[in-house]
Amino acid sequence: MTLGILTDCRIWGDDYDLSGTTNKVEIGGSCEAKKITNFNSGRYDEYLAGLKEVEVNVSGFFEGTTSDAFADEFLGARVPVTIAVDDAAGSIAYMGGLNVLSAPREFAVGEVGVLNFGAKGAGATMPGIVRGALLYPKTTITTTTTSTGIQYGAIGSGRTIWAAVHVFGATSGDTLDVKIQSDDNSGFTSATDRITFTQFAAATGSEVKSLAAPITDDYWRIVATVAGNGSESFSLGVFFGSAPTT
Amino acid sequence: MALQVITLGYCRLGGSFDLHAYANKISLEFEAEDLNVTVFGDGWGDHMAGLKNGKLNVSGFNDFGDNLCDEVMYGFWEAGVNIAAAVRPSSASISTSNPEYQLAGVVPLTWTPLGADVGQVSPLSISWPTSGAVVRDVTP
């Protein structure tokens, strides 16, 4: 067992990188206990796990162009959020379509402004939270880029693949196309396109897409195609994971 | 009487996952419902023990390594299926001084993979209710 001290957690919300203004993050999954105690229970209560719920709380600092702008834009709205325990390809990460429900600001004389936000998983069009990994850490690219890839593993039947791309920066007049490929070897000698995101045309933002499993390939990578007027620059990061199909 | 300092706490989930490898505290709580059956004529309150239930509490540290704590515990919560559990004071063999509490099921109601400040280790903390019978086993 090797424990790690959390120093490089990543917190992405849509096209905002909140990592630099956050110093604590909590992801809490829970479900209701449904009592099914009956006359055959042998005098012991019996329960089943009911509906699941996810709550995310992020604590940090007020910063006008990131945390505050994010809270202002998304309070009361649903937003894709990716939280990773480290800033490296393959780091464990969680992604959810979260409803931002609270964003209190606090200002005290002599102190750095505080901004926290609380959110809950929406669960309507995607699971409240999906466990996976950073397929591609936040990187600024200026040319078409193919990532090295990670050996995430095959995705079995009964599960759905969920992927999210966050585009943090874009240049005017340029386009970015991102797709996820898989293969059965680290050299990607026979890569297959699995998920293709909508083109980002000179714009930042995010998108979540899904794909039904099973897929036996265990190596996964992205291909980010950049085109434009010759001075293209895009900043992006990609989450990849899976959850039981609902 | 043989008191013991706990250094090798044991908690196995699902018959194969040793949660104690990530834990620094394990507690089992058992209780029975307090049924008040006092009637007219009773000079004192009259009670009976009703249905029994329990709670497994484990705290420690979460490990995000492949196939380790976070992956397994998240899998339990994600599946939402009750899990058998075995808890005893020491990982030594079961004995009269090292009884094992065998829980027919614990309900994976919560999993908090991340809950730490920058510079800290993410904690492990569960408080899952039991479901079904509990057996105290002292047979090696």
Side-chain angles (χ1 to χ4, degrees):
Chain A
M1 177 180 77
T2 302
L3 300 176
I5 295 176
L6 300 174
T7 57
D8 291 309
C9 287
R10 303 291 98 187
I11 302 95
W12 304 334
D14 192 54
D15 57 354
Y16 291 88
D17 182 357
L18 303 171
S19 312
T21 56
T22 300
N23 59 7
K24 182 174 181 177
V25 60
E26 294 180 21
I27 305 173
S30 63
C31 50
E32 298 174 63
K34 298 300 185 183
K35 185 178 281 194
I36 58 167
T37 308
N38 54 77
F39 287 114
N40 287 343
S41 295
R43 288 194 67 187
Y44 285 90
D45 271 328
E46 291 189 86
Y47 298 89
L48 290 178
L51 289 174
K52 290 199 265 291
E53 191 172 272
V54 167
E55 185 169 332
V56 172
N57 293 294
V58 176
S59 306
F61 304 106
F62 175 96
E63 200 286 320
T65 61
T66 50
S67 59
D68 185 62
F70 170 81
D72 181 61
E73 183 172 346
F74 291 106
L75 180 65
R78 182 181 302 171
V79 57
V81 172
T82 293
I83 297 171
V85 301
D86 206 343
D87 186 21
S91 297
I92 298 299
Y94 292 81
M95 188 276 294
L98 305 180
N99 287 320
V100 181
L101 301 176
S102 67
R105 285 88 158 162
E106 183 180 309
F107 307 111
V109 62
E111 301 295 327
V112 178
V114 169
L115 192 153
N116 305 320
F117 73 86
K120 286 195 171 181
T125 56
M126 63 171 290
I129 201 81
V130 177
R131 186 180 186 273
L134 280 193
L135 184 55
Y136 192 62
K138 180 185 174 185
T139 308
T140 299
I141 60 173
T142 57
T143 58
T144 294
T145 300
T146 301
S147 69
T148 302
I150 63 173
Q151 188 179 13
Y152 184 80
I155 313 296
S157 58
R159 298 187 72 83
T160 297
I161 294 168
W162 291 92
V165 62
H166 299 262
V167 178
F168 308 100
T171 42
S172 174
D174 303 324
T175 61
L176 171 69
D177 291 276
V178 180
K179 62 183 176 181
I180 295 176
Q181 295 181 328
S182 71
D183 207 335
D184 60 2
N185 63 89
S186 61
F188 288 88
T189 55
S190 55
T192 302
D193 291 349
R194 296 296 183 183
I195 292 176
T196 301
F197 293 97
T198 306
Q199 182 180 82
F200 288 86
T204 61
S206 64
E207 186 179 29
V208 176
K209 299 204 86 169
S210 63
L211 176 70
I215 298 189
T216 57
D217 291 343
D218 55 342
Y219 291 87
W220 299 83
R221 70 180 183 185
I222 73 155
V223 177
T225 302
V226 172
N229 55 22
S231 57
E232 304 86 4
S233 178
F234 286 88
S235 173
L236 70 150
V238 179
F239 163 90
F240 178 87
S242 74
T245 302
T246 54
Chain B
M1 180 176 72
L3 301 178
Q4 55 180 296
V5 175
I6 306 299
T7 58
L8 295 171
Y10 180 93
C11 176
R12 176 169 285 183
L13 301 181
S16 61
F17 179 64
D18 289 335
L19 185 59
H20 55 261
Y22 309 93
N24 55 15
K25 184 173 181 179
I26 302 169
S27 76
L28 271 178
E29 302 170 7
F30 297 127
E31 63 180 18
E33 195 177 346
D34 178 8
L35 300 178
N36 189 329
V37 294
T38 308
V39 296
F40 291 116
D42 288 340
W44 293 80
D46 200 357
H47 297 258
M48 293 179 67
L51 289 173
K52 295 192 277 284
N53 54 65
K55 189 158 286 187
L56 171 64
N57 307 297
V58 180
S59 54
F61 303 102
N62 192 15
D63 190 336
F64 295 98
D66 192 25
N67 297 320
L68 299 183
C69 184
D70 185 72
E71 182 172 341
V72 175
M73 295 297 283
Y74 181 83
F76 287 146
W77 177 78
E78 183 184 60
V81 175
N82 293 359
I83 312 154
V87 179
R88 55 186 193 254
S90 164
S91 56
S93 299
I94 298 172
S95 68
T96 53
S97 62
N98 192 33
E100 180 173 276
Y101 294 89
Q102 296 159 355
L103 317 179
V106 290
V107 190
L109 292 184
T110 60
W111 178 242
T112 302
L114 269 177
D117 296 81
V118 61
Q120 304 299 315
V121 179
S122 199
L124 152 71
S125 179
I126 62 166
S127 182
W128 293 352
T130 63
S131 178
V134 175
V135 172
R136 183 177 185 273
D137 185 8
V138 296
T139 305

